[in-house]
Amino acid sequence: SHLSSWSTRYLVADVPIDPAILKQTGLRQMTAGSGQLIYENTRALPVASFESSPHEPIPIEYLTNRIRVHTKGKMGILHVRLAPLTGYSAVKKDGAEEPVTLSENGLLFALSSPEESVDLVYRSWALELGILGMLVGCGIFAIGFIAVGMRKLF
């Protein structure tokens, strides 16, 4: 079930998969060659869709630290099947930010008003705190460097 919930469309294997597992998971062998087997997951869900129509894909764009989901004015629970990392927030066209709910199968966001697109923005608080710590450290070093230089002048 995780294969379809994570939008995994193709699987490459070094050894054949048991026929019982193929039947249970919806995998079908597409090709074999170069010592590897390629299987297609016929039950894969799209990366982004509304909960009300999980098999109807929604176009997405991958941008720097964000994913733009083109919702085309629809409303409902938006499901983006990516690794559920903390740090995502949803930004609407008017700039309003909304929290994103993490689920076992990705990111969930409720669209209560029609939007043409929504940006899921990723902000790593650890990275931002690291940069802030580095700047503070550089500032302390600079102050110390100036203080030592001033002492040598007088």
Side-chain angles (χ1 to χ4, degrees), residues 28-55:
R28 75 175 178 88
Q29 185 175 334
M30 294 181 59
T31 185
S34 303
Q36 294 184 322
L37 303 162
I38 299 175
Y39 296 91
E40 179 184 18
N41 179 9
T42 59
R43 298 179 189 162
L45 295 172
V47 172
S49 65
F50 282 100
E51 288 285 299
S52 58
S53 52
H55 293 282

Side-chain angles (χ1 to χ4, degrees), residues 57-133:
I58 298 173
I60 60 173
E61 280 180 81
Y62 292 98
L63 305 167
T64 304
N65 284 358
R66 69 182 56 224
I67 300 163
R68 180 161 294 142
V69 184
H70 297 279
T71 54
K72 299 178 182 174
K74 294 183 181 178
M75 297 185 304
I77 304 294
L78 181 62
H79 190 170
V80 180
R81 291 167 190 85
L82 297 173
L85 300 172
T86 58
Y88 275 103
S89 61
V91 179
K92 299 179 182 179
K93 283 291 183 193
D94 65 2
E97 281 194 43
E98 303 269 342
V100 172
T101 303
L102 304 179
S103 78
E104 180 180 293
N105 300 326
L107 310 170
L108 299 172
F109 174 70
L111 280 173
S112 56
S113 62
E115 300 283 336
E116 282 303 306
S117 66
V118 174
D119 286 356
L120 294 174
V121 179
Y122 179 73
R123 291 189 183 92
S124 170
W125 298 111
L127 177 64
E128 290 181 12
L129 286 175
I131 290 171
L132 178 62

